């Protein structure tokens, strides 16, 4: 006897996903340089993230910029994304998240929040997260990768959660929503360390190279010379 298909296209109906890619930071611990323009294999990290999201079939992407907006815009200008500038990026990541969520279209089923400084995330990682979201336990609305008991990124949640975050106080973001609704959060256990790998400092760059062999390099125009 054949299985009953949902939506006619597979075991799970298709989920329309919008992604918010956060790239507004000052890079203060990187010598005040935009860490999303660090290159791996000659490709800026923010472009690698956009390629991963596109390869996973994400329907819509909003990139939130702040510091170094002009430089970053130049790196992503060929991509069909919505660019949003945070007029006060020093107000913190929550302000950028909320601007990004506001800019997503209302027709989406779920939102995915990604960080532009995760060097190793690829389209399969995004696909796996979307698959985990589709298979999440009944009653949960947020799926967060959890590696060795620690939370990772990207995070994915329902459009209902998105609406509740935007309806809340200005200091409410995804993390605060999760803290207030722990029963609706699915910590998706994974052994994939890429969900936990990001770079915040020069030491992180060196540690990544030592651990994985992947060497991040600054483009020529961002090199610091003595």
């Amino acid at each position: 006897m054949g299985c009953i298909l949902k939506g006619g296209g597979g075991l799970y109906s298709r989920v329309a996903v919008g992604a918010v890619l956060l790239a507004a930071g000052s890079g203060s611990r990187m010598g005040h340089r935009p860490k999303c323009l660090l290159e791996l294999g000659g490709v800026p990290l923010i472009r690698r993230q956009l390629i991963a999201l596109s390869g996973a079939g994400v329907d819509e992407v909003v990139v939130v910029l702040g510091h170094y907006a002009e430089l970053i815009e130049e790196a992503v200008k060929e991509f069909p994304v919505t660019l949003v500038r945070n007029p006060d990026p020093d107000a913190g990541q929550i302000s950028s998240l909320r601007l990004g969520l506001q800019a997503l279209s209302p027709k989406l089923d779920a939102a995915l929040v990604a960080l532009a400084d995760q060097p190793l995330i690829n389209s399969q990682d995004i696909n796996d997260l979307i698959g985990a979201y589709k298979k999440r336990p009944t009653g949960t609305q947020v799926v967060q990768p959890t590696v060795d008991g620690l939370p990772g990124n990207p995070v994915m949640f329902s459009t209902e959660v998105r609406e509740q975050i935007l309806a809340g106080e200005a200091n409410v973001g995804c993390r605060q929503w999760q803290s207030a609704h722990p029963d609706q959060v699915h910590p998706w256990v994974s052994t994939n360390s890429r969900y936990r790998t990001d770079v915040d400092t020069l030491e992180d760059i060196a540690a990544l190279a030592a651990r994985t062999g992947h060497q991040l390099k600054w483009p020529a125009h961002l090199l610091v010379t003595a």
Side-chain angles (χ1 to χ4, degrees):
M1 182 177 179
C3 63
I4 298 174
L5 303 182
K6 291 187 178 180
L11 291 174
Y12 294 90
S13 58
R14 190 181 185 285
V15 175
V17 181
V20 174
L21 183 57
L22 300 175
S26 68
S28 59
R29 291 184 287 171
M30 286 287 192
H32 292 279
R33 290 176 286 180
K35 54 188 177 178
C36 70
L37 294 185
L38 276 165
E39 295 179 352
L40 178 58
V43 181
L45 297 188
I46 191 164
R47 290 176 64 92
R48 296 180 73 91
Q49 280 281 4
L50 291 173
I51 291 167
L53 292 166
S54 175
V58 169
D59 298 273
E60 181 181 316
V61 179
V62 172
V63 180
V64 185
L65 305 175
H67 294 281
Y68 322 110
E70 291 82 5
L71 284 175
I72 299 170
E73 281 182 10
E74 184 66 22
V76 303
K77 62 184 179 182
E78 311 97 276
F79 291 87
V81 300
T82 300
L83 299 177
V84 175
R85 289 201 189 190
N86 185 343
D88 185 15
D90 291 327
Q93 194 178 84
I94 290 176
S95 65
S96 293
L97 168 68
R98 293 174 67 91
L99 284 170
L101 293 178
Q102 287 170 359
L104 288 174
S105 67
K107 63 184 179 182
L108 300 165
D109 299 312
L112 184 153
V113 179
L115 308 178
D117 63 351
Q118 288 191 279
L120 305 182
I121 292 289
N122 59 39
S123 59
Q124 187 58 57
D125 301 329
I126 303 295
N127 266 323
D128 290 346
L129 175 62
I130 293 172
Y133 178 83
K134 291 179 179 180
K135 294 180 282 188
R136 70 193 185 280
T138 301
T140 59
Q141 298 198 73
V142 177
V143 171
Q144 177 151 41
T146 304
V147 183
D148 296 328
L150 299 172
N153 286 289
V155 175
M156 191 167 171
F157 47 86
S158 69
T159 190
E160 182 180 337
V161 171
R162 170 190 166 198
E163 291 168 358
Q164 289 180 15
I165 290 173
L166 292 177
E169 300 294 328
N171 62 349
V172 173
C174 185
R175 189 177 302 169
Q176 291 72 25
W177 192 95
Q178 291 183 67
S179 295
H181 306 85
D183 58 318
Q184 296 184 53
V185 179
H186 173 48
W188 170 51
V189 176
S190 172
T191 59
N192 185 350
S193 62
R194 292 189 290 273
Y195 294 123
R196 283 280 306 166
T197 302
D198 61 5
V199 286
D200 290 317
T201 65
L202 297 175
E203 290 75 18
D204 289 341
I205 295 176
L208 179 71
R211 190 173 77 251
T212 68
H214 293 296
Q215 181 65 59
L216 300 180
K217 297 182 178 180
W218 293 105
H221 66 286
L222 290 176
L223 286 173
V224 175
T225 55

